[in-house]
Amino acid sequence: VEYHRPHLKFTGNYTLSKATRQGNLHDQIYPFYFDQRHRAGANLVFHPFLDRGWVPTLIQVDWRYATGRPLTIPEAIYVDPMGQLLLQFGDINAARLADSHSLNLRLEWERTIGGSSGTRLSWYLSAWNVYGHPNPLDIGFSIDPNQTGAVTLITQESLPFFIPLGFSFYLGQ
């Protein structure tokens, strides 16, 4: 979905998908690693009418959502006859990470320098994941070798809130 006005642009999207794999053993069908059933996004870009002083030349609001991807989780450990610890996993990709979503903001300033050559300098200030939602990247696990069967899952998350700064330099014709 897109909506355009002279100083305003909105885009929105939604994707519904299903990705499966078939294993070699017993023709088992399971969700593929990249299977994210639902993805959605909305992006609003506003170019203010004023182009002077501290008024940004671009204001952007971006929201993203995705369901969690599948993963295979270790369920237990056991000791084999040789005395080594072995992992016992559950069904292939039977679990899923939690859903992720974030709201991102961006302010950008751009100035033409060097007269009519078209050379431009721009700099920006962004805020990622403004409301600090814990977005999982992956699941790790730790094993306590002294307690057979004890597997602790550890969720690895993206940064809760991040403020990047940057600049760009465009050479004219």
Side-chain angles (χ1 to χ4, degrees), residues 104-149:
N104 309 310
L105 304 174
R106 180 181 176 114
L107 301 175
E108 186 173 320
W109 294 266
E110 183 177 289
R111 296 292 178 259
T112 301
I113 57 176
S116 62
S117 68
T119 302
R120 299 185 319 261
L121 177 66
S122 69
W123 55 99
Y124 66 86
L125 169 69
S126 295
W128 294 351
N129 198 12
V130 173
Y131 50 81
H133 183 264
N135 291 309
L137 295 173
D138 207 352
I139 295 282
F141 55 90
S142 66
I143 301 169
D144 184 351
N146 299 320
Q147 297 179 357
T148 301

Side-chain angles (χ1 to χ4, degrees), residues 4-9 47 49:
H4 296 272
R5 285 287 187 231
H7 294 277
L8 183 70
K9 178 180 179 182
H47 295 276
F49 300 102

Side-chain angles (χ1 to χ4, degrees), residues 8-97:
L8 183 70
K9 178 180 179 182
F10 171 81
T11 56
N13 62 69
Y14 172 76
T15 304
L16 173 64
S17 66
K18 181 177 180 179
T20 59
R21 276 260 164 116
Q22 186 169 351
N24 292 334
L25 301 174
H26 311 292
D27 295 327
Q28 178 187 10
I29 296 175
Y30 55 90
F32 187 45
Y33 177 82
F34 298 106
D35 181 38
Q36 284 187 307
R37 301 292 166 92
H38 305 278
R39 294 181 68 86
N43 189 21
L44 180 68
V45 178
F46 176 64
H47 295 276
F49 300 102
L50 301 174
D51 189 16
R52 297 177 195 245
W54 289 100
V55 177
T57 54
L58 178 137
I59 300 170
Q60 181 177 8
V61 179
D62 176 50
W63 179 78
R64 299 173 192 183
Y65 168 83
T67 53
R69 66 170 177 76
L71 53 102
T72 305
I73 294 184
E75 294 180 338
I77 59 173
Y78 60 94
V79 180
D80 72 1
M82 302 297 288
Q84 295 196 354
L85 294 175
L86 300 174
L87 286 172
Q88 177 180 341
F89 287 89
D91 291 336
I92 298 173
N93 289 344
R96 285 191 178 268
L97 288 172

